[in-house]
Amino acid sequence: MASDLVLNDVTKRFGTFTAVDDLSVTVPQGSFFALLGASGCGKTTTLRTVAGLEEPTSGSIWLGEQELTGLRPYKRPVNTVFQNYALFPHMSVRDNVAFGLRRRGMKDVAAQVGDMLDLVQLGGFADRKPAELSGGQQQRVALARALVNQPQVLLLDEPLGALDLKLRRQMQIELKRIQTEVGITFLHVTHDQEEAMWMADTVAVMNAGRIEQLGPPTEIYEFPASPFVSNFLGQSNLFAAEVVGKSGDDLQLSAYGERFAAPAARARATAGHVWLGVRPEKVRLTEPGQQPPADHNWVRGVLTDTCYAGVSTEYLLKTPWGQEMSVFSANQSAGEPLTPGTEVVVHWYPSHSFVLQRPDGHGEQPAPQYAADPLGVAP
Ligand SMILES: Nc1ncnc2c1ncn2[C@@H]1O[C@H](COP(=O)(O)OP(=O)(O)OP(=O)(O)O)[C@@H](O)[C@H]1O
Ligand SMILES: [Mg+2]
């Protein structure tokens, strides 16, 4: 499309350190696109190259037919909203929002500024100073101040990071509404996986300066491309397995002497060494004395930990081969959670499995555990 934002082989080095590593991505015009990744993976650096605050070491950046690389920041049809809002403290809300327009020599800005304040629902706050506003209100002023310039792309760098959880949830809904209303491309950086999934049409998971997987939230959650993604976005149980055959649409797998099945359509590799994956919420516990359904995948284990979380109970169990496995069980009845030490059988539909590549000889031992939330900030 005419005004897609395109990054072509963008690399950014600081000395010998590579912060962004040969990154190519197309952000469709009018989309809400999230860059998700752990601290230090290169998200802000990527945004800064788009804004013109850093020049890439190599590669180029385009907005439709227009090359942005090499242009001064103010020449780019791009605005940024930062985590700390960066409002002018001595100016009123009105003057903060009018700032960009006035700097471009526009005189009669009252109507535009008024419209923007209405859009972010701060119509009655025009005369206040930033210090007289809550965090969420300041954040909305920052948004209005960027949007009033009618950028083609709005860059948002952890814009909700300073807000408490409840306000952050409200602002997520608000931001989404505003994006739909104005139709501008939003490139939103966050390390909060729920925020990325809730808001974005497309989520790109970044790891060490590269995009590891990109797609709609349901796709990357339900069918992750790598062990990293499967455990960065939510959690996954991964078993080191071998493909031993095929029956109908399913792959037959062997792991630790047990047999499993998984749809070939949900496999990133269909032969040899693989990871068999299943999300904890897809796994069910059998009631004591009951057998799992015959066509299900199942694993026997002993509960090692029970964590009651209100809406659900999170169980950890140890498999006969010593691997830790996690199971989320929705609390649909009033019964007490099972206690540690209980022997259980857990099972899941083969169609809920996914299969990932496993480099030869790696992982005969328990699967790698990646921190789902390396910063400990997710709710
Ligand atoms: N000006 C700089 N000089 C040297 N190294 C830098 C510079 N800016 C960033 N880096 C390094 O590049 C890497 C990526 O930084 P970046 O700010 O892009 O990370 P991030 O993904 O935004 O992380 P966070 O979630 O913590 O904001 C980091 O290791 C950082 O230390
Ligand atoms: Mg950052």
Side-chain angles (χ1 to χ4, degrees):
M1 227 208 264
S3 292
D4 293 352
L5 173 68
V6 179
L7 278 69
N8 274 330
D9 303 323
V10 170
T11 294
K12 178 66 190 179
R13 287 196 195 91
F14 296 107
T16 56
F17 179 77
T18 305
V20 178
D21 190 2
D22 197 22
L23 187 142
S24 293
V25 66
T26 296
V27 179
Q29 181 182 6
S31 68
F32 199 131
F33 192 101
L35 264 186
L36 172 70
S39 184
C41 75
K43 305 180 296 295
T44 294
T45 306
T46 304
L47 276 202
R48 289 172 61 83
T49 62
V50 176
L53 302 170
E54 302 279 1
E55 280 301 326
T57 311
S58 60
S60 61
I61 299 172
W62 297 75
L63 191 62
E65 302 287 288
Q66 184 187 17
E67 178 161 11
L68 299 186
T69 358
L71 287 183
R72 308 295 297 272
Y74 62 88
K75 295 263 187 188
R76 303 185 183 204
V78 165
N79 269 86
T80 311
V81 178
F82 298 98
Q83 173 173 0
N84 55 10
Y85 323 132
L87 298 176
F88 302 113
H90 57 286
M91 286 187 195
S92 68
V93 165
R94 177 184 290 110
D95 290 339
N96 262 286
V97 175
F99 183 81
L101 300 177
R102 292 210 174 110
R103 197 175 52 174
R104 282 188 279 146
M106 293 174 65
K107 292 268 169 343
D108 216 3
V109 299
Q112 270 168 281
V113 170
D115 287 348
M116 270 308 135
L117 287 176
D118 288 343
L119 178 73
V120 299
Q121 300 182 332
L122 286 177
F125 293 74
D127 294 318
R128 295 219 195 158
K129 296 275 170 60
E132 297 162 340
L133 300 174
S134 74
Q137 290 163 343
Q138 290 183 43
Q139 207 283 332
R140 282 183 274 162
V141 177
L143 196 61
R145 193 180 55 169
L147 285 173
V148 79
N149 300 315
Q150 299 186 307
Q152 291 188 50
V153 178
L154 188 67
L155 306 173
L156 301 122
D157 193 356
E158 307 262 9
L160 311 181
L163 306 180
D164 68 47
L165 185 59
K166 195 140 196 188
L167 200 49
R168 204 153 89 207
R169 292 280 174 262
Q170 275 171 18
M171 280 304 302
Q172 286 167 358
I173 295 167
E174 191 70 350
L175 259 185
K176 184 84 191 141
R177 174 187 68 78
I178 291 168
Q179 194 269 339
T180 312
E181 206 163 314
V182 296
I184 291 171
T185 310
F186 275 32
L187 180 50
H188 181 114
V189 156
T190 179
H191 58 249
D192 178 341
Q193 37 147 331
E194 276 189 13
E195 180 167 306
M197 288 202 282
W198 284 16
M199 299 176 72
D201 308 313
T202 304
V203 177
V205 180
M206 259 188 103
N207 183 22
R210 289 173 167 270
I211 290 179
E212 197 134 335
Q213 187 175 6
L214 169 163
T218 47
E219 186 183 304
I220 48 177
Y221 186 83
E222 296 295 338
F223 190 21
S226 66
F228 175 83
V229 174
S230 81
N231 271 306
F232 189 76
L233 214 63
Q235 293 179 41
S236 295
N237 296 296
L238 298 178
F239 304 115
E242 314 293 326
V243 178
V244 292
K246 205 171 171 214
S247 95
D249 294 333
D250 281 350
L251 298 178
Q252 301 296 319
L253 306 159
S254 161
Y256 313 100
E258 306 285 354
R259 284 305 185 99
F260 299 89
R266 287 172 54 77
R268 304 271 175 196
T270 53
H273 304 297
V274 294
W275 293 114
L276 167 65
V278 64
R279 297 278 186 186
E281 72 275 14
K282 309 276 205 253
V283 181
R284 300 176 192 185
L285 288 153
T286 48
E287 298 293 321
Q290 287 194 335
Q291 292 292 321
D295 55 348
H296 277 206
N297 291 326
W298 59 271
V299 167
R300 196 186 307 283
V302 177
L303 292 183
T304 55
D305 197 19
T306 296
C307 182
Y308 177 77
V311 287
S312 66
T313 302
E314 304 189 11
Y315 294 105
L316 276 185
L317 61 99
K318 191 147 252 172
T319 63
W321 56 91
Q323 184 171 348
E324 206 154 65
M325 182 172 175
S326 117
V327 178
F328 299 165
S329 180
N331 287 333
Q332 288 167 331
S333 61
E336 287 291 310
L338 298 171
T339 49
T342 308
E343 288 190 13
V344 292
V345 174
V346 297
H347 60 100
W348 67 95
Y349 285 105
S351 61
H352 287 161
S353 311
F354 55 85
V355 175
L356 304 177
Q357 266 180 6
R358 179 167 64 94
D360 279 4
H362 174 248
E364 299 308 329
Q365 295 305 311
Q369 295 295 317
Y370 295 96
D373 175 26
L375 298 177
V377 291

PDB file of all heavy atoms in Angstrom, residues 306-321:
ATOM      1  N   THR A 306       0.786 -26.019  44.269  1.00  0.00           N
ATOM      2  CA  THR A 306      -0.583 -25.625  43.967  1.00  0.00           C
ATOM      3  C   THR A 306      -0.714 -24.159  44.301  1.00  0.00           C
ATOM      4  O   THR A 306      -0.444 -23.759  45.429  1.00  0.00           O
ATOM      5  CB  THR A 306      -1.564 -26.433  44.843  1.00  0.00           C
ATOM      6  OG1 THR A 306      -1.452 -27.805  44.498  1.00  0.00           O
ATOM      7  CG2 THR A 306      -2.997 -25.984  44.623  1.00  0.00           C
ATOM      8  N   CYS A 307      -1.077 -23.371  43.307  1.00  0.00           N
ATOM      9  CA  CYS A 307      -1.174 -21.933  43.545  1.00  0.00           C
ATOM     10  C   CYS A 307      -2.580 -21.470  43.192  1.00  0.00           C
ATOM     11  O   CYS A 307      -2.953 -21.409  42.016  1.00  0.00           O
ATOM     12  CB  CYS A 307      -0.122 -21.217  42.712  1.00  0.00           C
ATOM     13  SG  CYS A 307      -0.114 -19.466  42.977  1.00  0.00           S
ATOM     14  N   TYR A 308      -3.364 -21.185  44.205  1.00  0.00           N
ATOM     15  CA  TYR A 308      -4.751 -20.774  44.012  1.00  0.00           C
ATOM     16  C   TYR A 308      -4.783 -19.299  43.647  1.00  0.00           C
ATOM     17  O   TYR A 308      -4.288 -18.462  44.402  1.00  0.00           O
ATOM     18  CB  TYR A 308      -5.532 -21.040  45.298  1.00  0.00           C
ATOM     19  CG  TYR A 308      -6.968 -20.584  45.242  1.00  0.00           C
ATOM     20  CD1 TYR A 308      -7.918 -21.331  44.555  1.00  0.00           C
ATOM     21  CD2 TYR A 308      -7.377 -19.419  45.886  1.00  0.00           C
ATOM     22  CE1 TYR A 308      -9.235 -20.909  44.496  1.00  0.00           C
ATOM     23  CE2 TYR A 308      -8.686 -18.989  45.830  1.00  0.00           C
ATOM     24  CZ  TYR A 308      -9.616 -19.740  45.142  1.00  0.00           C
ATOM     25  OH  TYR A 308     -10.910 -19.329  45.079  1.00  0.00           O
ATOM     26  N   ALA A 309      -5.326 -18.961  42.462  1.00  0.00           N
ATOM     27  CA  ALA A 309      -5.306 -17.562  42.013  1.00  0.00           C
ATOM     28  C   ALA A 309      -6.713 -17.022  41.791  1.00  0.00           C
ATOM     29  O   ALA A 309      -6.920 -16.130  40.975  1.00  0.00           O
ATOM     30  CB  ALA A 309      -4.480 -17.442  40.734  1.00  0.00           C
ATOM     31  N   GLY A 310      -7.704 -17.570  42.502  1.00  0.00           N
ATOM     32  CA  GLY A 310      -9.058 -17.043  42.365  1.00  0.00           C
ATOM     33  C   GLY A 310      -9.764 -17.606  41.147  1.00  0.00           C
ATOM     34  O   GLY A 310     -10.467 -18.603  41.252  1.00  0.00           O
ATOM     35  N   VAL A 311      -9.549 -16.967  39.972  1.00  0.00           N
ATOM     36  CA  VAL A 311     -10.229 -17.461  38.771  1.00  0.00           C
ATOM     37  C   VAL A 311      -9.719 -18.830  38.345  1.00  0.00           C
ATOM     38  O   VAL A 311     -10.419 -19.604  37.709  1.00  0.00           O
ATOM     39  CB  VAL A 311     -10.082 -16.505  37.555  1.00  0.00           C
ATOM     40  CG1 VAL A 311     -10.913 -15.275  37.739  1.00  0.00           C
ATOM     41  CG2 VAL A 311      -8.637 -16.157  37.303  1.00  0.00           C
ATOM     42  N   SER A 312      -8.470 -19.115  38.678  1.00  0.00           N
ATOM     43  CA  SER A 312      -7.918 -20.409  38.282  1.00  0.00           C
ATOM     44  C   SER A 312      -6.956 -20.892  39.359  1.00  0.00           C
ATOM     45  O   SER A 312      -6.582 -20.142  40.262  1.00  0.00           O
ATOM     46  CB  SER A 312      -7.176 -20.293  36.952  1.00  0.00           C
ATOM     47  OG  SER A 312      -6.041 -19.481  37.116  1.00  0.00           O
ATOM     48  N   THR A 313      -6.611 -22.182  39.258  1.00  0.00           N
ATOM     49  CA  THR A 313      -5.559 -22.715  40.113  1.00  0.00           C
ATOM     50  C   THR A 313      -4.420 -23.157  39.210  1.00  0.00           C
ATOM     51  O   THR A 313      -4.662 -23.782  38.173  1.00  0.00           O
ATOM     52  CB  THR A 313      -6.075 -23.910  40.937  1.00  0.00           C
ATOM     53  OG1 THR A 313      -7.191 -23.479  41.712  1.00  0.00           O
ATOM     54  CG2 THR A 313      -4.995 -24.429  41.875  1.00  0.00           C
ATOM     55  N   GLU A 314      -3.203 -22.781  39.567  1.00  0.00           N
ATOM     56  CA  GLU A 314      -2.050 -23.151  38.771  1.00  0.00           C
ATOM     57  C   GLU A 314      -1.315 -24.282  39.484  1.00  0.00           C
ATOM     58  O   GLU A 314      -0.868 -24.108  40.625  1.00  0.00           O
ATOM     59  CB  GLU A 314      -1.136 -21.946  38.561  1.00  0.00           C
ATOM     60  CG  GLU A 314      -1.893 -20.794  37.926  1.00  0.00           C
ATOM     61  CD  GLU A 314      -1.014 -19.630  37.495  1.00  0.00           C
ATOM     62  OE1 GLU A 314       0.222 -19.792  37.504  1.00  0.00           O
ATOM     63  OE2 GLU A 314      -1.580 -18.582  37.181  1.00  0.00           O
ATOM     64  N   TYR A 315      -1.232 -25.410  38.794  1.00  0.00           N
ATOM     65  CA  TYR A 315      -0.564 -26.574  39.366  1.00  0.00           C
ATOM     66  C   TYR A 315       0.787 -26.780  38.701  1.00  0.00           C
ATOM     67  O   TYR A 315       0.922 -26.575  37.489  1.00  0.00           O
ATOM     68  CB  TYR A 315      -1.398 -27.838  39.123  1.00  0.00           C
ATOM     69  CG  TYR A 315      -2.721 -27.864  39.847  1.00  0.00           C
ATOM     70  CD1 TYR A 315      -3.911 -27.642  39.171  1.00  0.00           C
ATOM     71  CD2 TYR A 315      -2.775 -28.134  41.215  1.00  0.00           C
ATOM     72  CE1 TYR A 315      -5.131 -27.676  39.822  1.00  0.00           C
ATOM     73  CE2 TYR A 315      -3.997 -28.165  41.884  1.00  0.00           C
ATOM     74  CZ  TYR A 315      -5.169 -27.935  41.180  1.00  0.00           C
ATOM     75  OH  TYR A 315      -6.367 -27.974  41.832  1.00  0.00           O
ATOM     76  N   LEU A 316       1.763 -27.180  39.493  1.00  0.00           N
ATOM     77  CA  LEU A 316       3.017 -27.680  38.940  1.00  0.00           C
ATOM     78  C   LEU A 316       3.060 -29.159  39.233  1.00  0.00           C
ATOM     79  O   LEU A 316       2.729 -29.585  40.350  1.00  0.00           O
ATOM     80  CB  LEU A 316       4.219 -27.022  39.609  1.00  0.00           C
ATOM     81  CG  LEU A 316       4.674 -25.671  39.072  1.00  0.00           C
ATOM     82  CD1 LEU A 316       5.946 -25.252  39.796  1.00  0.00           C
ATOM     83  CD2 LEU A 316       4.913 -25.729  37.564  1.00  0.00           C
ATOM     84  N   LEU A 317       3.449 -29.942  38.237  1.00  0.00           N
ATOM     85  CA  LEU A 317       3.615 -31.354  38.538  1.00  0.00           C
ATOM     86  C   LEU A 317       4.938 -31.844  37.990  1.00  0.00           C
ATOM     87  O   LEU A 317       5.514 -31.254  37.074  1.00  0.00           O
ATOM     88  CB  LEU A 317       2.453 -32.179  38.006  1.00  0.00           C
ATOM     89  CG  LEU A 317       2.174 -32.212  36.523  1.00  0.00           C
ATOM     90  CD1 LEU A 317       2.757 -33.468  35.912  1.00  0.00           C
ATOM     91  CD2 LEU A 317       0.670 -32.226  36.315  1.00  0.00           C
ATOM     92  N   LYS A 318       5.434 -32.934  38.612  1.00  0.00           N
ATOM     93  CA  LYS A 318       6.691 -33.514  38.161  1.00  0.00           C
ATOM     94  C   LYS A 318       6.363 -34.777  37.388  1.00  0.00           C
ATOM     95  O   LYS A 318       5.633 -35.640  37.875  1.00  0.00           O
ATOM     96  CB  LYS A 318       7.591 -33.813  39.373  1.00  0.00           C
ATOM     97  CG  LYS A 318       8.987 -34.171  38.961  1.00  0.00           C
ATOM     98  CD  LYS A 318      10.027 -33.705  39.974  1.00  0.00           C
ATOM     99  CE  LYS A 318      10.815 -32.519  39.425  1.00  0.00           C
ATOM    100  NZ  LYS A 318      11.698 -31.917  40.398  1.00  0.00           N
ATOM    101  N   THR A 319       6.894 -34.882  36.160  1.00  0.00           N
ATOM    102  CA  THR A 319       6.645 -36.055  35.327  1.00  0.00           C
ATOM    103  C   THR A 319       7.579 -37.186  35.768  1.00  0.00           C
ATOM    104  O   THR A 319       8.560 -36.923  36.476  1.00  0.00           O
ATOM    105  CB  THR A 319       6.923 -35.724  33.851  1.00  0.00           C
ATOM    106  OG1 THR A 319       8.303 -35.398  33.738  1.00  0.00           O
ATOM    107  CG2 THR A 319       6.071 -34.557  33.384  1.00  0.00           C
ATOM    108  N   PRO A 320       7.312 -38.429  35.346  1.00  0.00           N
ATOM    109  CA  PRO A 320       8.189 -39.543  35.720  1.00  0.00           C
ATOM    110  C   PRO A 320       9.631 -39.327  35.261  1.00  0.00           C
ATOM    111  O   PRO A 320      10.551 -39.895  35.842  1.00  0.00           O
ATOM    112  CB  PRO A 320       7.561 -40.747  35.000  1.00  0.00           C
ATOM    113  CG  PRO A 320       6.123 -40.377  34.820  1.00  0.00           C
ATOM    114  CD  PRO A 320       6.121 -38.890  34.614  1.00  0.00           C
ATOM    115  N   TRP A 321       9.836 -38.512  34.196  1.00  0.00           N
ATOM    116  CA  TRP A 321      11.219 -38.258  33.743  1.00  0.00           C
ATOM    117  C   TRP A 321      11.801 -36.983  34.356  1.00  0.00           C
ATOM    118  O   TRP A 321      12.808 -36.466  33.914  1.00  0.00           O
ATOM    119  CB  TRP A 321      11.288 -38.224  32.217  1.00  0.00           C
ATOM    120  CG  TRP A 321      10.364 -37.242  31.549  1.00  0.00           C
ATOM    121  CD1 TRP A 321      10.647 -35.949  31.232  1.00  0.00           C
ATOM    122  CD2 TRP A 321       9.015 -37.472  31.132  1.00  0.00           C
ATOM    123  NE1 TRP A 321       9.551 -35.349  30.646  1.00  0.00           N
ATOM    124  CE2 TRP A 321       8.537 -36.266  30.566  1.00  0.00           C
ATOM    125  CE3 TRP A 321       8.158 -38.576  31.172  1.00  0.00           C
ATOM    126  CZ2 TRP A 321       7.243 -36.132  30.056  1.00  0.00           C
ATOM    127  CZ3 TRP A 321       6.888 -38.436  30.654  1.00  0.00           C
ATOM    128  CH2 TRP A 321       6.438 -37.237  30.110  1.00  0.00           C
TER     129      TRP A 321
END
